[in-house]
């Protein structure tokens, strides 16, 4: 599975959009991009995933560039409860493993 | 709906003692099962995964072993704990569908402190 690169930390003002970037320049054509988040001392929580098209659900939006070498997770109106470590993962359809990097620690500031 | 149970939530064990952490999944059949470890301030490291009963793949050579005696039961064990085994252990499952991506769902973790 391809590796991902994320900034180690970011801040965001409460109520503003949080845009978390992820680079996955070696991604293969059949690999999906997944996003998870981990609030302190809890298990990671699934947020969203996508292949080529942009995706949106009740939690977030996922924007994948046309060349698929990078993506951005958008939390449209960040709240204090969104403070967490956010992980970007790429995974093949046949791959059984989920490999996590070190993620981005997002702090939402009041 | 599917749920995952992992216990105990916290555990303090002396060096050299054995370990057994259990994880069970409800509401699904033939899941893929995973054990991860997270050292303090670090990311998640995949330790083992299993695609079926008795089928275990080890990602990292270490002092730990895993077993899957039943379809929805995954056990992490050690015969003699080391100080370096301390960490946050997470069990996860994902549905198996041929050729299709499915997300993984995590338990709430076990915080192990080896003293």
């Amino acid at each position: 599975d391809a590796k991902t690169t994320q900034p180690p930390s970011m801040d965001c003002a409460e109520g503003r959009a949080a845009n978390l970037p992820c680079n996955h320049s070696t991604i293969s054509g059949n690999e999906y991009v997944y996003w998870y988040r981990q609030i302190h001392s809890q298990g990671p929580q699934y947020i969203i995933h996508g292949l080529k098209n942009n995706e949106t659900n009740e939690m977030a939006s996922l924007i994948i560039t046309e060349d698929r070498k990078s993506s951005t997770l958008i939390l449209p109106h960040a709240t204090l409860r969104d403070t967490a470590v956010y992980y970007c993962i790429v995974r093949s359809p046949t791959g059984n493993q989920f490999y996590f990097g070190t993620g981005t620690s997002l702090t939402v500031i009041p | 709906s599917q749920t995952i149970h992992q216990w105990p939530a916290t555990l303090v064990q002396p060096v050299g003692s054995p370990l057994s952490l259990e994880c069970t999944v409800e509401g699904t059949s033939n899941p893929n099962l995973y054990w991860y470890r997270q050292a303090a301030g670090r990311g998640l490291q995949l330790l083992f995964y299993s695609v079926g009963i008795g089928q275990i793949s080890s990602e990292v050579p270490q002092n730990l072993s895993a077993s899957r005696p039943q379809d929805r039961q995954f056990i992490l064990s050690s015969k003699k704990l080391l100080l370096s085994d301390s960490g946050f252990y997470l069990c996860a499952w994902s549905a198996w569908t041929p050729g299709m991506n499915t997300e993984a769902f995590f338990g709430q973790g076990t915080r192990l402190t080896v003293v």
Side-chain angles (χ1 to χ4, degrees):
Chain A
D1 292 335
K3 291 187 176 180
T4 62
T5 304
Q6 299 175 254
S9 63
M10 292 181 63
D11 292 337
C12 177
E14 187 178 17
R16 304 296 295 270
N19 297 287
L20 294 98
C22 180
N23 287 324
H24 30 79
S25 58
T26 60
I27 193 170
S28 299
N30 65 346
E31 287 182 319
Y32 283 69
V33 179
Y34 281 77
W35 282 84
Y36 283 79
R37 73 180 182 184
Q38 186 179 23
I39 297 172
H40 183 62
S41 296
Q42 296 183 21
Q45 176 190 24
Y46 165 79
I47 301 173
I48 199 168
H49 75 282
L51 181 63
K52 296 180 181 179
N53 300 321
N54 298 336
E55 302 287 344
T56 296
N57 63 20
E58 65 278 4
M59 290 183 67
S61 295
L62 173 60
I63 307 298
I64 302 175
T65 58
E66 191 170 346
D67 63 8
R68 303 207 328 118
K69 293 185 176 181
S70 65
S71 61
T72 301
L73 179 75
I74 301 173
L75 308 177
H77 305 287
T79 70
L80 298 179
R81 286 180 292 181
D82 292 322
T83 293
V85 178
Y86 287 77
Y87 296 98
C88 170
I89 302 163
V90 293
R91 179 176 177 239
S92 72
T94 55
N96 294 310
Q97 306 92 320
F98 287 85
Y99 293 105
F100 288 75
T102 52
T104 296
S105 178
L106 174 69
T107 302
V108 180
I109 302 169
Chain B
S1 63
Q2 302 89 358
T3 56
I4 181 169
H5 301 280
Q6 188 179 345
W7 66 92
T10 60
L11 189 61
V12 179
Q13 291 284 101
V15 169
S17 64
L19 173 73
S20 180
L21 302 180
E22 188 165 345
C23 171
T24 59
V25 180
E26 296 178 356
T28 187
S29 297
N30 197 30
N32 290 338
L33 296 172
Y34 310 86
W35 278 112
Y36 286 84
R37 176 172 61 197
Q38 187 172 35
R42 306 291 296 273
L44 281 78
Q45 180 186 34
L46 178 62
L47 300 176
F48 302 95
Y49 72 93
S50 171
V51 299
I53 295 174
Q55 300 179 63
I56 309 295
S57 295
S58 175
E59 289 288 308
V60 181
Q62 60 214 313
N63 186 40
L64 302 168
S65 62
S67 61
R68 184 170 177 174
Q70 301 181 44
D71 181 44
R72 290 168 288 179
Q73 183 184 29
F74 206 23
I75 298 172
L76 183 69
S77 303
S78 173
K79 293 182 179 178
K80 289 185 178 182
L81 283 169
L82 305 172
L83 288 175
S84 58
D85 292 324
S86 293
F88 190 45
Y89 288 82
L90 288 152
C91 180
W93 75 273
S94 67
W96 183 83
T97 306
M100 290 184 62
N101 265 262
T102 59
E103 61 269 32
F105 300 93
F106 286 79
Q108 288 305 298
T110 295
R111 188 162 301 283
L112 171 67
T113 304
V114 182
V115 296

